[in-house]
Amino acid sequence: MVSSEEQVCTTPGSCEDIDTILPPEKLPNGMQQALDDVERYELHEMHESLKEIAAEINENVGITTVMQRHVERLLIQDQYPNSEDETPQEDKYATFSSLLDISTAFSVSWGGSTEFGGKVSWIGSMFWRKDIIEKEKKKEKSQHGICRTDLTNDYDKENKKSCIHGITIDNYVSVRPTPDKKHEHMELAASWEILGDKGTWRTGKIMDLKFGNQKFDTIVANGMIAGSDYELQDMDLLLEKAVSLLKPGGVLFLIGTEPSKRVEGPNNIYNEIMDVINSVKKLWGESPIHNMPATWTIRTLDRLGVNVFSSTLFPAKAAYEDMAQTVGDAIEWIEEEADDGGDEMWAGIKGQYMEMLEELLETGEAVAGRGPVYGGEDQYIIAAKLPLDGEKKDDKSLLITPTVYEPKAKAQKKAQS
């Protein structure tokens, strides 16, 4: 018998590719009503919101949007490798086709500011991308038409205009670590009109979930290769499971975090905050997260027979609001999860940790008051492709080395100087 957390279909017909069709998930009391009552975006609201996500028009765009656009660029370049030879250019779209979207308990950096895995609105933008582009075309003097597939007209945030990437998606399966997180994101999916026959939702650890014969054209896995001590020996098995779910020719995008570096000066406030958080969690028996570096991931993927074709680092900067969220989440954990058993001494220790975090946050407010700070943390995106049946593996895959992301406009200025 299948447990409620392994029941995956939210609507009839959403599990057609799975060996054994599982019954619709039994939602907790009131959840179905909550989904039914979600306020949907009006068409014009959806257009404006999705256009901003797609076009990166905000000069203060965060790392999440930059990383999403990077994935889109890589997909376009993979599906149109000879696009520079195509003139004149017609509107063409790259597609994620069937997407497996994995977001784990470790898919959060600065208190949620880089929660790339919780990208429900981004997934929504791909379903509605053609509609966005068509609407933009009808506007007079619009600077947000479809990007060329050679991306020569794709501007980054240093410029005031940006084209919209031609990216689509057919359907998705989203995996979330807990029922609460899944239900939260299902509500968001309902508001973007991508719940139901467009997507399927599952709860649990990817190693424990069964997919039958179902395989995917694209997998975006965030936080999957970060774990506690007892999980470290299984990191390669997680990658093996992900690769096994790819169709031949399918692409895997791995979003991870480099082991944190120590920084000098006032910006080390992030190191200090995380030191305290890791200390209190370790004291109460919770192992700290161990992030796997990009170089280890590349070597392991190469051994598993996939072609790594890109590896990019994204320095993560945090505003005061991000620090406040991180500290707030830690204090909430101390209050609710760190059991003192009524012992006065342990209650006093909890109080000291909370006081330390609050004092560090005050320092963080002063440091970040001059702008977001780099605290020694780098996100990365590694892209790898499973060879087609009968296709030889690329021997150059292992030679890919991580490079730091730069906006295209900035890189072009460097090249010209």
Side-chain angles (χ1 to χ4, degrees), residues 21-144:
I21 295 181
L22 304 179
E25 180 170 357
K26 184 179 180 181
L27 296 171
N29 291 338
M31 184 62 201
Q32 187 60 58
Q33 186 62 48
L35 290 174
D36 292 340
D37 292 342
V38 166
E39 185 176 349
R40 268 65 173 175
Y41 278 94
E42 297 289 336
L43 185 60
H44 70 278
E45 294 173 323
M46 188 178 295
H47 172 236
E48 291 302 314
S49 299
L50 293 177
K51 185 183 72 173
E52 184 167 340
I53 292 168
E56 191 179 309
I57 58 177
N58 183 353
E59 290 184 2
N60 298 314
V61 66
I63 185 175
T64 301
T65 302
V66 171
M67 291 170 73
Q68 289 167 356
R69 284 182 64 84
H70 181 71
V71 168
E72 293 180 356
R73 290 184 183 109
L74 291 176
L75 192 74
I76 291 171
Q77 290 164 345
D78 176 66
Q79 294 184 16
Y80 294 100
N82 301 315
S83 58
E84 292 183 3
D85 301 330
E86 299 174 3
T87 54
Q89 173 117 4
E90 298 177 358
D91 288 358
K92 293 184 178 179
Y93 290 83
T95 180
F96 278 68
S97 292
S98 59
L99 169 69
L100 175 59
D101 164 39
I102 305 170
S103 178
T104 76
F106 305 113
S107 62
V108 177
S109 177
W110 280 93
S113 66
T114 59
E115 192 177 1
F116 189 94
K119 52 196 171 298
V120 181
S121 55
W122 179 49
I123 291 175
S125 80
M126 288 183 280
F127 277 109
W128 297 95
R129 193 67 58 92
K130 285 187 177 181
D131 179 65
I132 300 167
I133 290 170
E134 287 305 312
K135 284 182 176 292
E136 286 300 304
K137 283 181 179 178
K138 293 175 182 177
K139 290 185 177 181
E140 288 187 23
K141 299 180 181 179
S142 173
Q143 296 177 334
H144 301 286

Side-chain angles (χ1 to χ4, degrees), residues 8 11 27 62 64 108 143 155 176 192 213 274 280 296 314:
V8 304
T11 58
L27 296 171
T64 301
V108 177
Q143 296 177 334
Y155 297 90
R176 293 296 181 264
W192 290 83
N213 287 333
M274 294 311 300
V280 66
W296 175 89
F314 297 82

Side-chain angles (χ1 to χ4, degrees), residues 292-339:
M292 307 305 289
T295 50
W296 175 89
T297 306
I298 291 169
R299 289 196 301 269
T300 306
L301 287 172
D302 182 79
R303 181 175 59 79
L304 292 172
V306 292
N307 293 320
V308 177
F309 61 89
S310 177
S311 177
T312 309
L313 300 177
F314 297 82
K317 294 185 178 181
Y320 167 72
E321 291 76 15
D322 301 315
M323 296 186 199
Q325 170 111 32
T326 299
V327 169
D329 289 345
I331 288 176
E332 182 179 350
W333 183 89
I334 293 171
E335 290 176 330
E336 297 181 2
E337 302 295 333
D339 185 15

